[in-house]
Amino acid sequence: MSTVVAQSLHVFGFRSHVANNVFFFDEQIIIFPSGNHCVKYNVDQKWQKFIPGSDKSQGMLALSISPNRRYLAVSETVQEKPVITIYELSSIPYRKRKILNNFDFPVQRFISMAFSPDSKYLLTQTSPPESNLVYWLWEKQKVMSIVRIDTQSNPIYQVSFSPQDNTQVCVTGNGMFKLLRFAKGTLKQTNFQRGEPPNYLAHTWVSEDKIVIGTDTGKLFLFESGDQRWETSIMVKEPTSETKHLEVIQESESLIQFPTLTSPVPSYEQVTMTSSHSQLSLPQVFAIAAYSKGFACSAGPGRVLLYEKTEDKEAYRESREIRIPVDPQSNDPSQSDKQDVLCMCFSPSEEMLIASTSKNQLYSITMSLMEISKGEPAHFEYLMYPLHSASITGLATCIRKPLIATCSVDRSVRIWNYESNTLELFKEYQEEAYTISLHPSGHFIVVGFADKLRLMNLLIDDIRSFKEYSVRGCRECSFSNGGHLFAAASGNVIHIFSTTSLENISNLKGHTGKIRSVAWNTDDSKLISCGTDGAVYEWNLSSGKRETECVLKSCSYSCVTISPDGKIIFAVGSDQTLKEIADSSVLREMSAFDVTYTAIVISHSGRMMFVGTSMGTVRAMKYPLPLQKEFNEYQAHAGPITKMSLTFDDQFLLTVAEDGCLFTWKVFDKDGRGIKREREVGFAEEVLVTKTDMEEKAQIMLELKTRVEELKMENEYQLRLKDMNYSEKIKELTDKFLQEMESLKMKNQVLRTEKEKQDILHRERIDDLLDKQSQELQDLECCNNQKLLLEYEKYQELQLKSQRMQEEYEKQLRDNNETKSQALEELTEFYEAKLQEKTTLLEEAQEDVRQQLREFEETKKQIEEDEDREIQDIKTKYEKKLRDEKESNLRLRGETGIMRKKFSSLQKEIEERTNDIELLKGEQVKLQGVIQSLEKDILGLKREIQERDETIQDKEKRIYDLKKKNQELEKFKFVLDYKIKELKKQIEPRENEIKVMKEQTQEMEAELGRFHKQNTQLELNITELWQKLRATDQEMRRERQKERDLEALVKRFKMDLHNCVAYIQEPRLLKEKVRALFEKYVQRADMVEIAGLNSDLQQEYARQREHLERNLATIKKKVVKDSELHRTDYVRIMQENVSLIKEINELRRELKFTRSQVYDLEAALKLTKKTRPQDVTETVSSEDLPGIPPTVRLNEQEETGRIIEMQRLEIQRLRDQIQEQEQIPGFHPLAGMRLPSLPRSEVDFEVQTK
């Protein structure tokens, strides 16, 4: 490995698009992402410590710190794969505790994370389209539960745990607010929303079951256990002119200006893209942070509102407004404060609030100072200094001062001090700044803008331009080492200017592509340049001609440098190599190992070399370059490095990148020693000040001095007036006090006389009380003497009783001792036998113990060795834990006061609950009374049921009697059989007609069978058609899928083609890119058959489509014809049924007529019964005989009834079949045609006779 070591020292930058991008580690230290590091920054002492990201990381996506502040979880993408790394913050250096990189579920990246309250579990949310919520037991790398949150690919912004419950989880996103509970190994949703939910951007837990949520329309909701309790809308307020004026005065010394660019936060972009034009004026709540009194929330650009609890406890009121200050020196001061607050956090003691914005800035405010100035909006202050909000394009340093100059796409130029780690100067311009160079003296800079090249002075408090050149689109500029010249590259021309005469000395032409980098040699006699045309030229400034050249068109160079001796040129470019060039030829190429080098710098001593990569890493290597892969690689930035530079003394390395961060590195050799400076040069302390500024300040000082003298005179005069007033007031007060003293003396004398009188009365009363007491004492002595005599007699009797009791107890004790001795002997024998058994068992156990002891000693030795190591680690951990616990104890004392207040509020709630319980008890008593009344009603109903049962029994008895009478009547029925015989003779022709009707019904059944067969055939045809339709649908889906695939391929081809357009001025690269596109998207088989296949496919598709359309048309015609045939057949059948029903009705009428004749005959028979009783008896006796023909006639009558019943069932069956045919698709019965209802037969002879 290389002996050159670079240690990250300080970073100037912040990455706001990382989820949960700032939080407190303790009261003074905060953690935030910068580049590819997490930075621990001490707010008071201003030092930084770094937690580096994973190797080959493509940037951090989300952060989360555990509640006990011991662990930090970082979500990253490493080589296109998601990784979660958990760091142990208590160890130094910071140790990776766990790495989660093997997933059994599909995941692209983790966009939000949260630790559980006990820090044992980790909650992670994956990005759409998977949108999985994963519940980890992270110590064991075990997935406890996984659930898909969303199926519509809506963005999800935040996940969190309840502050006191490991099982309660909250998820918010676009149209999504879900509360989930972990139980029995699964996450189950516990809340269900009604209506269309809004776009929820942020949330926070204000208690164990209460959540405050903000939306993109400026609304705040309070949910308790999933139910909405409170809602409010944030009103848009513009600051008044007075507050604006005050802000301008307060910030008049600032030079900070912000660009009008969008934030790189994905959620921020999605929200702003999806929000409609009407919603742009509504404040969007991107961040909410809870604290003991309530919560703070972002309320649109540049505003934060504080809400505090009301007496209602379920509502909050707006208490304070905090604004981002307006910068008066910005190009657009009204827009300089329009920054969306993306993340906020309170310090553990709630003394400080920190906010991060969409423009990569960090602000802070002290809560105690904010409460002093109530009534007016408070203002944030910069936590550190204003930072770049976009990609840094230029970097430069000087010799005489510890200054760094940077310029950025955010249209700003900044001057940093790497010794004090502060921002010296800052200015914003109308155009983007592409390149910058700092004069060796540190007093001048040259900056290349889109339209001009400007030479500027660095004053004490400003950056002022004193010369402008019409060099458009200058992408690279550099001062010479001596400072007397500077070079500016515009397109493919290099302009050389003199610093003293400010004139253009010469123009160097020769490049065919854009120039990407220029470098001066040590004595400023030569200039080296490289460009996108693959050329590296060495120019002689005295002649203005090229001395050496090396052209390699396959490589687009990005950076060039020269060795201190001026003999070897080093260049890096797009071909992933580092080239050593000397005498117009490439001496050596060193591979970059699958990355692209973007920047290179060599030390002034010529012993070290540093290169920056497209992955954002820095590689440190020794010079001369090694033959093998010998270099140290350091994680630095989250984007490609754009520029690198070494300070003149070779002690600090400076790197900038597209992530907007500036890193300073301390350079060491492998033994840890700093690189020795070649020569000691003390830093200059001089600054530039213009004469007008000095005169203005002198004038201001004179004015202030005169003003001070005037104020002194006024103060003296005011003091004299006050002394006069106070002396008069003192005289008045002394007079008042003297008068009061005299009045009090008089009162005192009166009170003394009253006191003497009271003393005399008191003495007399005491004498009377003493006499009464002496008499009462004598009386009490006499009474007590008599009582004592009686008690003494009782005492003597009790003594005799106690002696007797003692004698009895002694006898019992002797008996007990004898029994006890016998029992002891028996027990000793029993336990001696047991002891022998136990001793044998003990010996065996001792042998086992000896064996176990040997094993234990062996394991103990191993464990002791392991434990000694662990004890040392644990000792360091627990020492730090002790400090943390002491700090947490202090914090908990503050929390106990808060808990007492909560306890008092809970006691009030308990009292309210007890009142509710008493009301419910009253309602319960009422309900018990209602229940008792209902029970009485039930008893009454039971009695009624018993009474009804008795009445039913009586009615059953009556029915039995009626049955007996019915049997008697049946006997009389036989008398009528003779007449019925004659009537049946008349019925026989009707029976023949019925037979004919039966034949007709059989024919109708045959026709129905034919219809059934036709219907089944039609059903088969319909099923075949359905199958064909399904097949065509599947083909259509396949074709659509092919179309989608082709569209995706076309999109990819367009993207690759767009990338090729960038090389349109470079024919060779363009040719290679087009060839690569050809090989990627066009195959040889497609080349030959693509034209023929397309035409054949289209013809075959058209032919199959025409065939299917014809089949569909013919099938539709068949269905129409069949439906018409069915209609005619069913109409005919219905007409026949109507005619048959008419005939049946006529037969019913005839039967009614015969019934009337039978009644007439019965009446006649009754008359004959009176006149000829003998004949009646004869007929009765003849009818009673068995085997007589009338019984046969009765069977014929039953047959007619059965035939009619069968006809009725047949008609009913036909109706059912017709209804089934109506339900078949494609069959439409005639409208309005219905069969007449079949009336119930009235010719049932048995029923009529009964």
Side-chain angles (χ1 to χ4, degrees):
M1 296 299 288
S2 173
T3 58
V4 179
V5 179
Q7 181 183 351
S8 53
L9 194 65
H10 200 86
V11 63
F12 303 93
F14 175 69
R15 293 184 62 208
S16 61
H17 70 277
V18 178
N20 192 18
N21 51 40
V22 63
F23 40 79
F24 275 89
F25 175 68
D26 57 25
E27 193 63 38
Q28 286 83 29
I29 298 172
I30 62 166
I31 297 176
F32 60 86
S34 183
N36 205 16
H37 291 70
C38 282
V39 182
K40 283 180 74 174
Y41 177 71
N42 191 303
V43 178
D44 295 334
Q45 299 175 11
K46 310 296 183 189
W47 53 255
Q48 289 184 354
K49 291 182 181 178
F50 296 91
I51 304 168
S54 303
D55 293 339
K56 298 181 181 179
S57 171
Q58 296 167 359
M60 297 177 182
L61 300 171
L63 302 177
S64 180
I65 192 167
S66 62
N68 59 10
R69 298 295 190 271
R70 287 186 63 189
Y71 307 108
L72 173 68
V74 181
S75 168
E76 298 172 286
T77 304
V78 179
Q79 295 180 337
E80 304 298 331
K81 293 181 181 178
V83 173
I84 296 173
T85 309
I86 298 167
Y87 294 90
E88 191 170 349
L89 298 175
S90 58
S91 64
I92 297 173
Y94 305 107
R95 185 166 62 90
K96 292 182 180 180
R97 182 66 177 267
K98 285 287 181 237
I99 299 173
L100 310 177
N101 54 8
N102 294 320
F103 308 111
D104 299 331
F105 49 88
V107 56
Q108 292 181 1
R109 60 184 188 274
F110 292 97
I111 55 174
S112 183
M113 300 184 295
F115 276 98
S116 62
D118 60 1
S119 306
K120 290 182 181 178
Y121 300 96
L122 181 68
L123 193 68
T124 60
Q125 177 64 51
T126 67
S127 61
E130 295 88 7
S131 299
N132 289 323
L133 183 68
V134 190
Y135 191 93
W136 297 85
L137 181 60
W138 63 268
E139 282 278 8
K140 297 181 179 178
Q141 300 185 7
K142 181 182 177 183
V143 176
M144 303 295 288
S145 178
I146 183 169
V147 62
R148 188 168 185 183
I149 289 297
D150 185 43
T151 57
Q152 299 176 357
S153 297
N154 288 323
I156 298 164
Y157 303 127
Q158 189 180 353
V159 298
S160 65
F161 274 98
S162 170
Q164 297 174 6
D165 188 359
N166 287 346
T167 61
Q168 189 82 5
V169 170
C170 179
V171 182
T172 52
N174 189 357
M176 187 190 314
F177 164 54
K178 292 186 178 181
L179 286 172
L180 299 101
R181 185 172 287 281
F182 179 73
K184 297 179 181 178
T186 56
L187 284 166
K188 294 181 181 177
Q189 187 173 351
T190 58
N191 70 318
F192 297 96
Q193 287 188 300
R194 297 172 184 173
E196 186 177 353
N199 187 2
Y200 296 113
L201 298 180
H203 71 264
T204 188
W205 295 79
V206 293
S207 69
E208 187 178 356
D209 55 353
K210 290 182 181 179
I211 307 172
V212 175
I213 307 180
T215 70
D216 62 346
T217 58
K219 288 190 176 179
L220 292 170
F221 299 95
L222 176 67
F223 289 93
E224 184 176 3
S225 302
D227 299 326
Q228 185 177 328
R229 301 294 186 194
W230 174 73
E231 177 184 352
T232 188
S233 295
I234 297 169
M235 301 303 292
V236 181
K237 294 180 182 177
E238 287 296 327
T240 61
S241 59
E242 292 179 3
T243 56
K244 280 186 177 180
H245 182 66
L246 283 168
E247 288 170 8
V248 169
I249 291 165
Q250 288 170 358
E251 300 294 324
S252 61
E253 295 179 0
S254 172
L255 291 170
I256 295 134
Q257 300 173 352
F258 292 98
T260 58
L261 297 176
T262 57
S263 170
V265 181
S267 61
Y268 178 73
E269 283 182 357
Q270 289 165 4
V271 171
T272 53
M273 290 289 283
T274 54
S275 61
S276 62
H277 181 72
S278 62
Q279 289 181 348
L280 287 174
S281 61
L282 295 173
Q284 296 177 341
V285 183
F286 285 106
I288 307 176
Y291 69 114
S292 59
K293 294 181 181 179
F295 64 91
C297 69
S298 62
R303 286 179 72 209
V304 172
L305 297 179
L306 294 180
Y307 283 85
E308 292 184 357
K309 294 176 188 174
T310 60
E311 294 177 356
D312 190 9
K313 294 183 183 178
E314 288 188 356
Y316 291 84
R317 61 175 179 83
E318 181 185 335
S319 61
R320 287 308 304 272
E321 179 183 359
I322 311 170
R323 287 185 177 271
I324 291 172
V326 175
D327 184 10
Q329 296 197 5
S330 173
N331 292 323
D332 189 0
S334 63
Q335 295 297 319
S336 63
D337 62 335
K338 297 297 184 286
Q339 305 178 57
D340 285 307
V341 177
L342 301 183
C343 186
M344 291 188 295
C345 64
F346 285 93
S347 63
S349 65
E350 299 178 357
E351 180 63 23
M352 185 181 287
L353 171 64
I354 288 180
S356 65
T357 70
S358 58
K359 293 184 179 176
N360 291 2
Q361 306 299 326
L362 283 170
Y363 291 96
S364 68
I365 190 167
T366 305
M367 301 294 286
S368 59
L369 295 175
M370 182 186 66
E371 290 176 0
I372 295 167
S373 59
K374 286 192 175 179
E376 296 178 359
H379 292 90
F380 280 109
E381 295 176 353
Y382 283 105
L383 180 68
M384 299 180 288
Y385 25 71
L387 304 165
H388 280 295
S389 60
S391 172
I392 300 173
T393 56
L395 171 71
T397 184
C398 65
I399 299 170
R400 293 288 294 142
K401 291 186 178 184
L403 298 181
I404 308 167
T406 57
C407 63
S408 171
V409 181
D410 61 8
R411 303 172 184 171
S412 67
V413 174
R414 298 168 199 259
I415 308 298
W416 313 87
N417 190 319
Y418 62 82
E419 194 175 48
S420 61
N421 295 323
T422 56
L423 179 67
E424 295 279 335
L425 294 171
F426 164 52
K427 195 160 187 178
E428 184 185 337
Y429 298 90
Q430 295 288 345
E431 306 87 17
E432 291 181 359
Y434 296 133
T435 181
I436 192 168
S437 183
L438 188 58
H439 193 269
S441 66
H443 294 311
F444 316 107
I445 57 170
V446 61
V447 185
F449 293 95
D451 58 344
K452 290 177 183 177
L453 178 71
R454 295 178 182 173
L455 193 62
M456 306 186 197
N457 282 323
L458 297 181
L459 303 179
I460 190 169
D461 58 356
D462 195 8
I463 303 171
R464 289 187 192 172
S465 174
F466 65 91
K467 181 65 177 176
E468 292 183 354
Y469 300 96
S470 59
V471 179
R472 300 181 67 82
C474 178
R475 295 279 177 172
E476 190 67 27
C477 67
S478 176
F479 273 104
S480 62
N481 293 316
H484 60 291
L485 299 173
F486 66 90
S490 174
N492 55 4
V493 180
I494 302 171
H495 305 278
I496 307 296
F497 296 92
S498 171
T499 310
T500 53
S501 64
L502 306 178
E503 292 178 356
N504 187 1
I505 297 169
S506 64
N507 296 323
L508 308 178
K509 297 179 182 179
H511 281 279
T512 58
K514 290 182 180 179
I515 296 165
R516 297 289 299 276
S517 178
V518 294
W520 296 85
N521 67 346
T522 309
D523 58 359
D524 296 335
S525 62
K526 294 177 184 177
L527 183 72
I528 295 88
S529 64
C530 69
T532 57
D533 54 358
V536 176
Y537 295 147
E538 185 177 359
W539 305 87
N540 190 329
L541 293 179
S542 58
S543 63
K545 294 180 181 179
R546 286 180 293 193
E547 284 196 352
T548 62
E549 60 182 36
C550 180
V551 180
L552 187 64
K553 293 195 175 181
S554 62
C555 176
S556 175
Y557 288 107
S558 58
C559 189
V560 70
T561 188
I562 188 168
S563 62
D565 57 5
K567 293 179 181 179
I568 300 172
I569 299 166
F570 302 96
V572 293
S574 60
D575 61 351
Q576 297 185 352
T577 58
L578 167 61
K579 295 181 178 64
E580 285 187 54
I581 301 167
D583 297 329
S584 302
S585 63
V586 178
L587 294 179
R588 185 177 166 199
E589 287 188 359
M590 182 180 174
S591 174
F593 304 101
D594 299 329
V595 296
T596 303
Y597 287 147
T598 57
I600 184 168
V601 66
I602 190 167
S603 66
H604 297 89
S605 63
R607 296 198 300 268
M608 299 177 295
M609 186 177 288
F610 300 92
V611 288
T613 68
S614 58
M615 297 294 291
T617 58
V618 175
R619 290 182 178 178
M621 54 189 77
K622 195 78 173 170
Y623 185 78
L625 296 175
L627 296 171
Q628 299 175 352
K629 187 179 178 181
E630 291 185 5
F631 52 79
N632 292 326
E633 189 165 10
Y634 302 100
Q635 288 292 322
H637 296 273
I641 291 175
T642 54
K643 297 286 179 184
M644 297 177 73
S645 180
L646 273 165
T647 57
F648 187 73
D649 55 5
D650 288 343
Q651 291 216 349
F652 298 100
L653 172 69
L654 315 170
T655 59
V656 294
E658 290 181 6
D659 59 1
C661 296
L662 164 63
F663 271 87
T664 61
W665 306 76
K666 183 76 174 172
V667 179
F668 295 95
D669 63 5
K670 198 171 183 181
D671 298 329
R673 296 190 299 273
I675 303 300
K676 292 181 180 178
R677 293 167 61 175
E678 291 183 357
R679 54 184 180 141
E680 285 290 332
V681 180
F683 290 126
E685 296 182 356
E686 296 84 5
V687 291
L688 292 179
V689 182
T690 61
K691 191 176 180 182
T692 54
D693 289 343
M694 288 292 290
E695 288 173 354
E696 285 175 3
K697 285 182 179 177
Q699 186 66 33
I700 290 165
M701 284 177 73
L702 286 169
E703 289 175 359
L704 289 169
K705 281 179 181 178
T706 54
R707 181 66 180 157
V708 166
E709 289 174 358
E710 289 173 0
L711 287 169
K712 279 182 180 178
M713 294 291 288
E714 287 179 4
N715 285 328
E716 287 175 359
Y717 178 68
Q718 291 291 332
L719 283 167
R720 287 172 188 168
L721 289 173
K722 283 179 181 178
D723 288 336
M724 295 289 287
N725 291 325
Y726 286 139
S727 61
E728 289 177 358
K729 285 180 180 179
I730 287 163
K731 286 179 181 177
E732 291 176 359
L733 287 168
T734 50
D735 293 337
K736 284 181 182 178
F737 282 126
L738 289 169
Q739 290 175 2
E740 287 177 0
M741 285 285 285
E742 289 176 356
S743 63
L744 286 168
K745 282 179 182 178
M746 293 293 289
K747 285 179 183 177
N748 195 9
Q749 287 178 358
V750 172
L751 288 168
R752 278 180 182 174
T753 53
E754 288 180 356
K755 184 189 172 187
E756 289 174 355
K757 290 178 182 178
Q758 291 290 329
D759 286 337
I760 293 162
L761 291 169
H762 184 64
R763 286 171 190 166
E764 290 175 354
R765 286 177 184 172
I766 286 166
D767 293 335
D768 295 336
L769 286 168
L770 286 169
D771 295 336
K772 287 178 182 178
Q773 190 178 5
S774 61
Q775 289 178 1
E776 287 174 358
L777 272 169
Q778 289 175 0
D779 296 336
L780 284 167
E781 281 176 358
C782 295
C783 294
N784 284 327
N785 288 327
Q786 292 175 1
K787 286 178 182 178
L788 278 168
L789 291 168
L790 294 169
E791 291 294 327
Y792 183 71
E793 290 174 357
K794 286 179 183 178
Y795 174 70
Q796 286 178 348
E797 290 175 0
L798 288 167
Q799 269 186 344
L800 293 168
K801 283 182 182 179
S802 66
Q803 287 174 0
R804 291 172 192 165
M805 292 287 285
Q806 276 180 356
E807 290 173 358
E808 289 175 0
Y809 282 127
E810 283 174 358
K811 287 178 184 177
Q812 287 178 4
L813 278 168
R814 288 168 194 162
D815 298 335
N816 286 327
N817 285 326
E818 290 173 359
T819 54
K820 186 180 176 183
S821 61
Q822 291 175 359
L824 271 169
E825 288 173 357
E826 291 173 358
L827 284 169
T828 50
E829 290 173 358
F830 176 71
Y831 282 112
E832 279 174 358
K834 270 193 174 182
L835 264 171
Q836 289 175 357
E837 292 176 3
K838 294 289 180 184
T839 49
T840 54
L841 290 169
L842 257 173
E843 288 171 357
E844 292 173 0
Q846 282 173 355
E847 289 176 1
D848 293 335
V849 166
R850 286 165 193 163
Q851 290 177 357
Q852 287 177 1
L853 277 168
R854 290 166 193 165
E855 293 173 0
F856 174 72
E857 284 173 357
E858 290 175 1
T859 54
K860 187 180 176 183
K861 287 175 184 177
Q862 295 174 358
I863 289 162
E864 281 176 353
E865 290 172 359
D866 296 335
E867 289 298 322
D868 289 335
R869 296 170 192 164
E870 289 180 4
I871 284 160
Q872 290 177 355
D873 297 336
I874 291 162
K875 190 176 180 182
T876 54
K877 285 180 189 175
Y878 282 105
E879 283 175 356
K880 190 161 186 183
K881 195 173 180 181
L882 254 175
R883 296 173 200 155
D884 295 340
E885 289 296 329
K886 286 177 181 176
E887 292 172 359
S888 63
N889 279 329
L890 293 170
R891 187 172 67 254
L892 287 168
R893 284 175 186 171
E895 288 177 0
T896 48
I898 297 161
M899 293 301 290
R900 283 172 187 164
K901 293 177 183 176
K902 288 184 180 177
F903 179 70
S904 62
S905 63
L906 286 168
Q907 279 184 339
K908 291 177 184 176
E909 286 181 4
I910 289 160
E911 290 174 359
E912 292 172 1
R913 298 294 179 198
T914 50
N915 295 327
D916 294 339
I917 288 159
E918 288 175 359
L919 292 170
L920 289 168
K921 282 180 180 177
E923 290 177 359
Q924 187 181 1
V925 170
K926 292 177 184 176
L927 289 168
Q928 283 176 353
V930 172
I931 289 160
Q932 288 175 359
S933 63
L934 291 168
E935 286 175 352
K936 289 176 183 177
D937 295 339
I938 289 160
L939 290 170
L941 290 166
K942 284 181 180 177
R943 288 171 190 164
E944 287 180 4
I945 288 161
Q946 288 176 356
E947 291 172 358
R948 287 184 182 181
D949 288 337
E950 291 172 358
T951 54
I952 287 161
Q953 289 175 0
D954 296 335
K955 286 180 180 179
E956 284 177 350
K957 287 178 183 177
R958 288 182 186 176
I959 288 161
Y960 182 70
D961 297 334
L962 290 168
K963 281 182 180 178
K964 286 182 179 178
K965 288 180 182 178
N966 195 7
Q967 289 174 358
E968 292 174 358
L969 290 169
E970 283 178 354
K971 291 177 183 178
F972 289 110
K973 188 176 74 174
F974 290 108
V975 178
L976 302 170
D977 285 337
Y978 180 73
K979 296 287 181 184
I980 291 163
K981 288 176 192 176
E982 293 176 356
L983 289 169
K984 278 194 177 179
K985 287 177 183 177
Q986 295 175 1
I987 290 165
E988 282 176 2
R990 300 293 180 190
E991 287 177 354
N992 293 327
E993 290 176 0
I994 288 162
K995 285 178 183 177
V996 173
M997 295 288 285
K998 278 184 180 180
E999 289 173 359
Q1000 288 178 356
T1001 52
Q1002 286 174 358
E1003 289 174 0
M1004 288 166 70
E1005 284 177 355
E1007 285 180 0
L1008 274 169
R1010 287 198 300 277
F1011 288 142
H1012 277 302
K1013 287 177 183 178
Q1014 289 175 359
N1015 284 329
T1016 53
Q1017 188 63 35
L1018 287 169
E1019 285 175 358
L1020 288 169
N1021 292 333
I1022 288 160
T1023 53
E1024 286 176 2
L1025 288 169
W1026 274 109
Q1027 287 173 359
K1028 288 177 181 177
L1029 275 169
R1030 285 169 189 155
T1032 53
D1033 284 337
Q1034 288 175 358
E1035 285 180 3
M1036 283 289 288
R1037 286 171 190 159
R1038 288 194 203 102
E1039 290 298 326
R1040 283 175 183 167
Q1041 187 62 36
K1042 286 179 184 176
E1043 189 181 353
R1044 290 192 201 103
D1045 296 340
L1046 286 168
E1047 284 177 359
L1049 193 135
V1050 168
K1051 283 180 183 176
R1052 289 198 297 273
F1053 181 75
K1054 282 180 181 178
M1055 290 295 289
D1056 292 340
L1057 192 63
H1058 181 69
N1059 292 331
C1060 280
V1061 171
Y1063 302 98
I1064 200 162
Q1065 292 182 355
E1066 302 168 9
R1068 188 170 177 182
L1069 283 172
L1070 185 65
K1071 186 179 178 182
E1072 287 179 1
K1073 294 290 179 181
V1074 171
R1075 188 178 290 164
L1077 281 176
F1078 182 79
E1079 290 173 356
K1080 186 176 180 181
Y1081 292 102
V1082 182
Q1083 298 176 358
R1084 292 178 183 176
D1086 294 339
M1087 281 291 293
V1088 178
E1089 298 177 1
I1090 192 160
L1093 280 170
N1094 287 335
S1095 61
D1096 293 338
L1097 283 168
Q1098 287 176 357
Q1099 288 174 3
E1100 181 65 24
Y1101 178 75
R1103 188 174 62 75
Q1104 287 183 2
R1105 186 174 179 180
E1106 287 173 1
H1107 176 67
L1108 288 168
E1109 286 174 353
R1110 285 172 195 161
N1111 285 338
L1112 268 172
T1114 54
I1115 288 159
K1116 284 179 180 177
K1117 288 176 183 176
K1118 282 181 182 179
V1119 169
V1120 171
K1121 287 178 183 178
D1122 291 338
S1123 63
E1124 289 175 357
L1125 288 169
H1126 280 302
R1127 284 178 190 171
T1128 54
D1129 291 337
Y1130 277 109
V1131 168
R1132 182 173 56 76
I1133 290 162
M1134 289 168 73
Q1135 288 173 354
E1136 289 174 359
N1137 282 329
V1138 168
S1139 62
L1140 288 168
I1141 287 161
K1142 285 178 182 176
E1143 289 177 2
I1144 288 162
N1145 287 329
E1146 288 173 1
L1147 288 169
R1148 284 174 182 167
R1149 290 191 198 104
E1150 289 176 2
L1151 284 168
K1152 282 181 183 179
F1153 181 73
T1154 55
R1155 188 182 66 181
S1156 64
Q1157 286 181 352
V1158 168
Y1159 282 134
D1160 294 335
L1161 289 167
E1162 282 178 355
L1165 282 167
K1166 285 178 183 177
L1167 292 169
T1168 55
K1169 199 186 254 189
K1170 290 177 183 178
T1171 55
R1172 294 169 66 187
Q1174 292 176 356
D1175 295 334
V1176 173
T1177 55
E1178 287 176 0
T1179 57
V1180 170
S1181 62
S1182 66
E1183 287 168 357
D1184 288 335
L1185 293 171
I1188 294 173
T1191 58
V1192 177
R1193 285 175 188 172
L1194 184 64
N1195 291 332
E1196 289 175 0
Q1197 184 180 356
E1198 288 175 356
E1199 282 180 2
T1200 55
R1202 285 175 187 166
I1203 288 161
I1204 291 160
E1205 188 65 31
M1206 285 170 69
Q1207 289 292 326
R1208 188 187 295 111
L1209 292 169
E1210 188 67 24
I1211 290 159
Q1212 187 65 34
R1213 188 176 65 78
L1214 289 169
R1215 284 186 173 185
D1216 294 337
Q1217 286 180 355
I1218 289 161
Q1219 287 177 358
E1220 288 175 0
Q1221 291 295 325
E1222 286 176 356
Q1223 292 174 358
I1224 293 168
F1227 174 75
H1228 302 285
L1230 289 170
M1233 291 295 291
R1234 291 186 68 188
L1235 291 172
S1237 61
L1238 183 68
R1240 189 164 181 81
S1241 175
E1242 297 177 357
V1243 196
D1244 192 350
F1245 290 106
E1246 291 178 3
V1247 176
Q1248 289 296 330
T1249 54
K1250 285 177 184 179

